Amino acid sequence: MEKIMEISDFYAPELDVYARFTEAQLLNKDRPEEGLFIAESPKVIGRALDAGYEPVSFLVEKSRLEEETKWLPDRCVNVPVYTAEHSVLIQMTGFRLTRGLLCAMRRKPLPSVREVCGEARRVAVLENVMNPTNVGAIIRSAAALGMDAVLLTSGCSDPLYRRAARVSMGTVFQIPWTFFSEEETGGSWIGYLKSLGFRTAAMALRDESVEIRDERLKKEEKLAIILGTEGDGLAEETIQSSDDTIRIPMSHGVDSLNVAAASALAFWELGAGN
């Protein structure tokens, strides 16, 4: 394979994007057209490539070079492949959890909410879900269980953060998603969703909430299922502005589920075709 370059110094500049840049630095909000993200594992990288994301470089442990990169020549000609001994790479935070292969990739411009919702009948909305593991798990469930798109408020973790993309098993590259912007929504993302024809259903533990199995909700032509942050749930304003509140029946004194688990149940019950 051409363009394989061995790194012997952990502080070599070629390793900066993998070892020293934070997720925020990679995102590069000041110059989003230069933003990068790190994809991890052949499956996640392959799905990103299938979605048209451009690879900048690869990083793989020397002992696994042949095993992990045997599929690259046909798809990534002339992209640098950096390799190093285990003793060098083990200095990277979290490297022990890495599944063989890393790839630095260029971000794409985000689509508008209107573009993402164009043909959608069911959308998942995440309000301030800050844990990247939960974001990745929710997106994986959304892709698998009948959601057409995922929309995120500005307080959410970015779906292209390395852990979120990994937990999603690359489905973050298969289902449309974007962030709400004040410029597009005019400051009211719920109002904007309603203007696009969606009935809004907030997942909240309220006396007036209907059960998630409610047949009326299942028959809605266009439905937005809104999920809140870990611990505090949805903002009161969001609940009050939603058309419905929905709940998952609990037993044994349990008051709620983790947001990722709750999302899977909601998508299964209310997703398109279910």
Side-chain angles (χ1 to χ4, degrees):
M1 180 188 297
E2 56 188 349
K3 300 213 67 166
I4 293 177
M5 290 171 253
E6 185 167 356
I7 306 291
S8 58
D9 178 8
F10 176 69
Y11 295 98
E14 293 87 349
L15 292 186
D16 283 348
V17 295
Y18 299 102
R20 284 171 286 280
F21 284 12
T22 65
E23 298 276 20
Q25 287 173 311
L26 290 170
L27 179 58
N28 201 351
K29 287 185 177 180
D30 293 334
R31 296 190 300 279
E33 70 279 1
E34 298 178 15
L36 302 173
F37 66 94
I38 304 298
E40 177 182 327
S41 86
K43 176 173 284 188
V44 173
I45 294 168
R47 287 180 171 171
L49 291 172
D50 289 342
Y53 285 87
E54 178 188 352
V56 174
S57 66
F58 293 89
L59 177 65
V60 62
E61 185 180 339
K62 188 175 180 180
S63 65
R64 303 182 66 174
L65 180 63
E66 183 176 353
E67 173 190 356
E68 297 289 354
T69 61
K70 56 188 176 183
W71 55 278
L72 292 182
D74 294 335
R75 307 191 67 176
C76 305
V77 176
N78 294 326
V79 178
V81 178
Y82 300 119
T83 185
E85 296 288 354
H86 181 77
S87 59
V88 174
L89 298 182
I90 199 63
Q91 299 176 68
M92 290 172 53
T93 301
F95 182 74
R96 292 180 185 275
L97 301 177
T98 298
R99 298 178 183 177
L101 186 66
L102 299 176
C103 180
M105 310 189 92
R106 297 195 190 281
R107 287 176 174 264
K108 294 180 180 182
L110 285 177
S112 68
V113 172
R114 183 176 293 274
E115 289 171 327
V116 166
C117 292
E119 301 296 326
R121 293 184 55 245
R122 293 290 185 270
V123 298
V125 180
L126 310 189
E127 182 184 67
N128 301 335
V129 178
M130 296 172 282
N131 187 314
T133 297
N134 283 335
V135 170
I138 292 169
I139 287 177
R140 185 177 181 182
S141 293
L145 300 174
M147 294 293 106
D148 299 312
V150 178
L151 305 172
L152 305 98
T153 67
S154 60
C156 288
S157 180
D158 193 292
L160 293 187
Y161 281 176
R162 180 172 156 186
R163 185 166 180 79
R166 183 180 72 200
V167 171
S168 83
M169 293 299 289
T171 54
V172 68
F173 306 112
Q174 296 177 305
I175 185 170
W177 61 269
T178 196
F179 282 90
F180 291 107
S181 70
E182 286 198 17
E183 182 180 5
E184 182 180 7
T185 64
S188 173
W189 55 265
I190 286 189
Y192 189 67
L193 282 174
K194 291 181 180 181
S195 75
L196 296 177
F198 286 93
R199 188 169 185 88
T200 53
M203 296 195 68
L205 298 171
R206 296 298 172 94
D207 291 339
E208 67 274 17
S209 296
V210 298
E211 284 199 13
I212 200 169
R213 295 182 285 246
D214 188 272
E215 289 297 325
R216 177 178 54 83
L217 288 177
K218 292 183 180 183
K219 293 176 182 178
E220 285 291 338
E221 181 63 25
K222 298 176 75 172
L223 184 67
I225 302 170
I226 307 172
L227 300 118
T229 187
E230 303 86 348
D232 293 334
L234 291 170
E236 183 64 29
E237 181 182 357
T238 300
I239 296 171
Q240 293 299 326
S241 300
S242 296
D243 296 311
D244 298 286
T245 57
I246 55 178
R247 69 180 185 276
I248 298 170
M250 297 283 142
S251 62
H252 295 96
V254 177
D255 60 355
S256 65
L257 295 175
N258 166 274
V259 64
S263 73
L265 288 173
F267 301 160
W268 171 251
E269 285 289 347
L270 299 172
N274 292 333

